[in-house]
Amino acid sequence: MQIRNRWLYKKFASLKTSILFLGLLSIFYLVGTIFPQGGDIEDYIKEGGRFVLLVKIFGLLDLFSTPLFFITAFVLFINIFICSYERFLALTSETQIDTEFIPTHTIQLNTKENIDNIFIKKLGFKKIHSNQTAAIVAKGLSYKWLTWLYHIGVFLCFIGFFLTYLFAFEDEVTIYPNETKTILPSKQGRLQKLFNIKPKEFPFKIQLAEFITEYNQMPSIDYPKDKLSRLAIALGWQGKPITYKIKDDSYFPKDWKSRLIVYKDDKFAYIKTIEVNEPLKYGGITFYQSAFKQDLKITIDNSPLAIDAEVDKEAILPGIENSIVFRNLRVGTLFKKDGTTEKIIPSVDVYIVKKTTNDKKEKEKAGKLEFGSSLTIEDKAIGIKEFKEATILSYRYDPGVPLLWLAGIMVLVTMALRVYSAWYRIIYRVDEEQGAPLLKLSIKTRGLLADEEGMVRRVRHYAK
Amino acid sequence: MLETILSRDAFLLTIELKIFWLIAFGYGVCLFLFFAHLFTKKNSIGNAATGILWGVVVAHAALILFRTFEAQRAPFQTLYESLSWFAWSASITYLYAARKWKDVYLAGIPVTLLSMSASLYALLSRNPAVEPLSPPLQSWWFEYHVILAFLSYAVFVVSCSIELVYLLIKPRLEKGLSYNYGLDLDNIETFHRTSFKLVLFGFPLLTFGVFSGAAWANDAWGRYWSWDPKETWSLITWTVFAMYLHAMTIPKWKGLPASMFNILGFICMMMTFLGVNWLAKLLGIPSLHIYAV
Ligand code: HEM
């Protein structure tokens, strides 16, 4: 009891404190949108960021891991905890009739029916309390308990974030088709880092059984970008109709899929084809389809010796002065606009990297190289001998997620019930005045679906 | 075969754009009439504006269905599409909220101004092409996330408009001016309460918007929260509306302070929707990737 009378405790139990700290957190968030979170200070300087000193002092590129943010969030967390505790005490203490019962409606009672029966049997109310002064009945889910429950949900969310903050880590792994990999993360959670606990190898292996790339044929429209021409088309002043065209580069990624097989103790354990939005969950770790890596073996003038090249990286080819970049290796299946599918003839775009006068590099497209044919660059015929696609999986361990699911659903459901569903409380008393019984009542409602006037009308109807 | 499909699609898109222009024009006509009512104070003009807005909203609903048929999927993928949904949902929410407010037309001005601007922005500056869904968008969450989050935006637009009207008219009533655009000392508080009820209605939707966004990111990117500017702005909006709702439970804060939170919430919502890119550019600050939607 003692502590509940202290100044600090009272501050923590106050709604104004919540508003203040919600406001302070918003300011943190705002600053966080101005500085690229997770960014690198070098990149920040390179890209022309102006507040280098501030960024360095306050750790603004990792603002949400700074002690200042943490303390602010923690105060709100304690605030929610104490508020919920206080509310709980209030809710479980006995319901009292408002000291002064001020009826807002007076209704003539003409029925022989017991008034309690009207509320309970006819109108579906529950009796909560009654004494000599008046009786209280209520209908609907208690809005106070619902409010309390979603605040508890918010409280649990904070614990979920905290678990993520302490324990979560993520990393990446690249696997080639038919390769089986054991995985040793190079990163670990904050707490493990703090106690210098080394990451452990996962107790299972992953094999990439197959990697699948699929594309949609994407037509683009012939439609002007400038506003006046668009207006002119709308007004019919420009005769050129809008058209859809299929261009050479109208490949739009449809899906990347990895068929993964998990082996535990060298025995088959699990198989799943993953794609973006469809991760593999195994052993507490979630594996996501993140990206892919494409490798080529290039031949020059049909020489049997092939040169390794990676797509999107500069390659030096013997006999060719400028370096070369291969881009957009297309393999897999194309889903065409007319509903048919087609195996893509593998091809890659070839760019020559030229040095310009001011030592900058410029890429110039040399052409498209198809599997089975060749492209001539600086008098050399280059061709593709082989290509390979590896999947890049990102994986993550995050023990906060299950709790967040639970808490999030709890918040949503109870908040929706609180806000939308109807709740009524009626306090009433029957008075005799000049020999005629009068029903006097006051009504309170919550929830957007509650219809106060409608409920009073129904009471009147049964009182007739 | 392919050629036929492409020319059919182009034909449908042309029709769609023409109707959309007419709808944008329709919002403009309503805006003009609401303005005319402001000056002429004639209820017949206000009624005409409301009547025409009903017509425009029905036509716009048909257009959104048309786009659904054209694209063979829910029409919420590109900014062009979500702007259209935003314009429509703001106006229909306004009509629904205003149905009880005979002779009060002022809130129609900001709402139709936004609906018209959103439609014109979509028509003039965004790419209207029907595009296939990119892999990250191919999620169960996608449609629910966008539909409900945008519905909450519409609700906040109307709530803020009512709030502004209240702040404008209340001092006039206190001064005892005779004509107050359908509001008087008896009904203005009930009118004002509509804005609170709207935020109450929208807040769980916004909560769902933030939650579903996080659940989706958890499936697609493997992390439920990355402090991306768009995510962070949605959290700011959510927090500010939570502050508003709490301020409304403190008797002393119920008046102007709460009203300010409501208007601030609206500004944050517009930042989440459109302002993120703009702010990054304005401050010359490198920003992480920003989603298309
Ligand atoms: C992130 C934190 C919070 C969120 C999102 C939140 C959310 C809400 C919302 C939406 C409402 C209004 C709807 C309703 O009346 O049920 C509300 C009401 C309320 N909140 Fe919070 N809240 C938070 C933190 C707190 C804290 C820390 C306190 C403790 C002081 C608190 C105490 C209250 C009270 C007393 C009400 C009035 C409930 C009533 O109408 O009976 N909230 N909260």
Side-chain angles (χ1 to χ4, degrees):
Chain A
M1 265 335 264
Q2 267 301 320
I3 191 170
R4 293 182 62 211
N5 292 326
R6 297 254 170 90
W7 175 84
L8 190 65
Y9 184 89
K10 282 191 176 155
K11 281 281 158 218
F12 267 114
S14 150
L15 205 75
K16 287 183 187 154
T17 311
S18 328
I19 299 183
L20 175 70
F21 277 82
L22 283 171
L24 286 177
L25 282 180
S26 301
I27 294 170
F28 272 100
Y29 303 151
L30 188 75
V31 175
T33 65
I34 295 176
F35 299 93
Q37 293 306 300
D40 190 46
I41 183 81
E42 299 302 324
D43 290 342
Y44 180 76
I45 296 168
K46 229 191 280 165
E47 285 176 47
R50 285 189 227 148
F51 306 98
V52 179
L53 197 65
L54 276 180
V55 167
K56 278 189 181 158
I57 295 173
F58 291 106
L60 296 181
L61 295 185
D62 200 8
L63 185 63
F64 302 107
S65 309
T66 57
L68 210 56
F69 175 73
F70 202 75
I71 292 167
T72 315
F74 192 70
V75 172
L76 185 66
F77 175 76
I78 298 297
N79 179 223
I80 297 180
F81 177 75
I82 293 179
C83 284
S84 305
Y85 174 67
E86 286 294 314
R87 285 284 276 196
F88 183 76
L89 293 183
L91 281 167
T92 45
S93 66
E94 214 183 309
T95 317
Q96 298 291 337
I97 297 184
D98 303 7
T99 37
E100 228 186 326
F101 165 50
I102 307 165
T104 48
H105 298 80
T106 303
I107 298 167
Q108 284 260 331
L109 261 185
N110 296 328
T111 170
K112 291 264 167 334
E113 180 129 19
N114 178 306
I115 187 67
D116 286 359
N117 267 354
I118 293 182
F119 281 116
I120 293 163
K121 295 240 170 77
K122 297 261 163 57
L123 292 166
F125 278 81
K126 266 207 194 100
K127 191 149 204 164
I128 293 182
H129 190 84
S130 73
N131 59 20
Q132 285 83 5
T133 351
I136 306 180
V137 287
K139 180 181 160 123
L141 293 170
S142 157
Y143 81 94
K144 285 188 177 165
W145 276 104
L146 290 171
T147 305
W148 186 79
L149 277 171
Y150 69 73
H151 282 88
I152 294 294
V154 172
F155 177 77
L156 292 178
C157 283
F158 270 76
I159 298 181
F161 301 144
F162 199 57
L163 288 177
T164 295
Y165 181 82
L166 287 181
F167 296 105
F169 65 84
E170 62 191 37
D171 205 351
E172 242 180 38
V173 57
T174 306
I175 316 179
Y176 283 90
N178 297 322
E179 187 187 12
T180 309
K181 269 216 164 154
T182 47
I183 300 168
L184 174 67
S186 67
K187 310 221 171 89
Q188 77 250 72
R190 283 191 175 82
L191 203 69
Q192 289 110 303
K193 217 188 241 165
L194 196 69
F195 289 103
N196 232 337
I197 301 171
K198 292 268 162 299
K200 271 197 276 188
E201 203 173 81
F202 293 158
F204 52 84
K205 292 176 186 171
I206 290 196
Q207 184 185 52
L208 175 67
E210 192 183 2
F211 183 68
I212 304 153
T213 41
E214 291 173 350
Y215 293 89
N216 273 319
Q217 197 171 41
M218 184 171 81
S220 50
I221 46 168
D222 195 3
Y223 185 53
K225 276 210 162 81
D226 84 287
K227 300 177 174 60
L228 275 180
S229 315
R230 287 188 174 192
L231 189 63
I233 290 179
L235 293 173
W237 292 345
Q238 193 172 317
K240 204 166 152 265
I242 301 171
T243 49
Y244 273 109
K245 285 209 175 79
I246 299 275
K247 294 188 187 139
D248 202 26
D249 56 357
S250 29
Y251 281 67
F252 189 80
K254 179 175 187 293
D255 244 329
W256 314 294
K257 297 182 196 167
S258 300
R259 199 140 61 82
L260 301 176
I261 304 175
V262 182
Y263 292 95
K264 187 151 181 161
D265 305 328
D266 290 323
K267 272 196 268 208
F268 169 86
Y270 193 62
I271 181 164
K272 179 164 182 179
T273 305
I274 70 163
E275 54 189 283
V276 183
N277 279 312
E278 193 56 56
L280 160 77
K281 291 180 185 146
Y282 191 83
I285 314 287
T286 313
F287 292 86
Y288 302 90
Q289 182 65 63
S290 161
F292 51 87
K293 177 172 174 276
Q294 299 172 314
D295 297 329
L296 297 165
K297 279 195 188 302
I298 300 292
T299 57
I300 297 168
D301 287 342
N302 283 326
S303 146
L305 218 74
I307 315 280
D308 288 324
E310 194 180 316
V311 173
D312 286 334
K313 295 234 167 91
E314 276 185 37
I316 310 279
L317 301 181
I320 297 178
E321 194 187 326
N322 291 302
S323 48
I324 304 287
V325 174
F326 299 96
R327 281 201 169 151
N328 304 329
L329 171 65
R330 306 278 191 215
V331 294
T333 314
L334 177 68
F335 289 75
K336 292 173 75 173
K337 189 76 190 147
D338 58 13
T340 59
T341 55
E342 180 181 285
K343 268 256 147 314
I344 299 169
I345 299 169
S347 72
V348 66
D349 293 334
V350 185
Y351 288 79
I352 303 173
V353 184
K354 290 196 168 146
K355 286 217 171 67
T356 58
T357 41
N358 48 4
D359 227 24
K360 284 210 169 128
K361 286 175 176 175
E362 215 167 64
K363 293 189 186 82
E364 186 185 289
K365 188 164 175 178
K368 190 165 149 177
L369 176 60
E370 277 189 0
F371 194 65
S373 64
S374 69
L375 185 73
T376 308
I377 295 174
E378 295 179 15
D379 295 334
K380 302 273 178 199
I382 61 171
I384 307 173
K385 187 178 179 195
E386 226 180 276
F387 58 85
K388 247 195 310 196
E389 285 187 300
T391 187
I392 301 180
L393 308 176
S394 65
Y395 55 87
R396 182 168 171 93
Y397 169 73
D398 189 343
V401 170
L403 182 62
L404 281 167
W405 265 108
L406 188 87
I409 291 172
M410 180 171 161
V411 169
L412 278 173
V413 172
T414 50
M415 187 187 283
L417 285 172
R418 155 67 185 89
V419 168
Y420 305 126
S421 80
W423 175 88
Y424 303 88
R425 188 200 62 188
I426 293 180
I427 308 180
Y428 66 90
R429 178 172 70 209
V430 180
D431 282 347
E432 290 272 335
E433 273 175 31
Q434 292 150 7
L438 288 180
L439 172 64
K440 293 188 172 169
L441 60 86
S442 72
I443 179 166
K444 180 172 160 184
T445 63
R446 282 287 186 280
L448 294 171
L449 289 173
D451 174 9
E452 187 174 321
E453 284 166 29
M455 182 54 79
V456 174
R457 232 180 291 127
R458 289 180 68 194
V459 176
R460 267 185 215 287
H461 168 79
Y462 286 114
K464 253 191 223 156
Chain B
M1 175 70 180
L2 186 61
E3 281 312 311
T4 340
I5 293 173
L6 291 183
S7 56
R8 182 203 64 190
D9 285 356
F11 175 70
L12 291 178
L13 184 65
T14 311
I15 293 184
E16 183 202 318
L17 285 169
K18 286 201 165 137
I19 300 175
F20 199 5
W21 273 102
L22 276 176
I23 285 168
F25 180 71
Y27 285 128
V29 170
C30 296
L31 175 63
F32 175 79
L33 289 174
F34 280 127
F35 252 116
H37 170 262
L38 182 67
F39 294 107
T40 62
K41 302 172 181 168
K42 279 199 181 124
N43 282 347
S44 56
I45 294 185
N47 279 334
T50 310
I52 295 174
L53 190 57
W54 269 113
V56 175
V57 160
V58 170
H60 201 163
L63 182 77
I64 292 171
L65 285 176
F66 183 83
R67 175 85 179 183
T68 312
F69 162 76
E70 191 187 337
Q72 300 287 309
R73 56 161 171 74
F76 307 110
Q77 183 184 346
T78 58
L79 189 54
Y80 166 85
E81 288 169 320
S82 38
L83 280 164
S84 172
W85 172 251
F86 173 71
W88 176 78
S89 50
S91 278
I92 187 117
T93 309
Y94 164 75
L95 287 172
Y96 181 77
R99 78 199 185 287
K100 282 195 201 146
W101 297 101
K102 296 261 175 313
D103 308 340
V104 184
Y105 304 103
L106 282 183
I109 295 177
V111 174
T112 45
L113 178 67
L114 269 178
S115 289
M116 182 189 74
S117 311
S119 305
L120 286 179
Y121 177 46
L123 282 164
L124 289 172
S125 300
R126 310 306 310 181
N127 181 2
V130 174
E131 289 171 356
L133 280 178
S134 66
L137 294 186
Q138 293 162 20
S139 161
W140 181 89
W141 286 109
F142 167 57
E143 282 148 26
Y144 299 99
H145 174 71
V146 181
I147 294 177
L148 292 177
F150 274 80
L151 207 57
S152 78
Y153 288 2
V155 172
F156 297 141
V157 166
V158 181
S159 174
C160 179
S161 307
I162 292 177
E163 194 74 69
L164 289 174
V165 172
Y166 175 78
L167 291 178
L168 272 170
I169 299 294
K170 189 78 197 284
R172 286 175 62 96
L173 286 171
E174 279 162 1
K175 273 191 219 145
L177 292 178
S178 61
Y179 184 75
N180 292 299
Y181 300 96
L183 291 164
D184 53 44
L185 283 170
D186 287 337
N187 67 8
I188 191 159
E189 295 305 329
T190 331
F191 173 75
H192 187 206
R193 201 158 168 83
T194 317
S195 77
F196 169 67
K197 283 190 176 165
L198 282 166
V199 174
L200 213 50
F201 178 85
F203 193 72
L205 298 180
L206 184 66
T207 308
F208 178 83
V210 177
F211 178 80
S212 58
W216 180 11
N218 192 51
D219 271 358
W221 290 287
R223 203 194 293 177
Y224 61 81
W225 200 265
S226 322
W227 297 109
D228 176 281
K230 187 117 181 163
E231 280 172 0
T232 312
W233 269 108
S234 74
L235 186 63
I236 297 175
T237 309
W238 185 81
T239 311
V240 170
F241 279 116
M243 287 160 76
Y244 166 75
L245 290 174
H246 283 100
M248 288 298 285
T249 66
I250 302 176
K252 269 199 192 149
W253 290 27
K254 240 183 179 168
L256 201 62
S259 297
M260 289 300 133
F261 281 132
N262 193 4
I263 293 169
L264 192 64
F266 167 79
I267 294 170
C268 294
M269 176 217 98
M270 290 305 284
M271 282 300 300
T272 315
F273 185 12
L274 298 170
V276 176
N277 311 24
W278 169 81
L279 191 71
K281 249 190 235 158
L282 184 78
L283 296 173
I285 284 158
S287 156
L288 290 177
H289 78 283
I290 286 160
Y291 316 146
V293 181

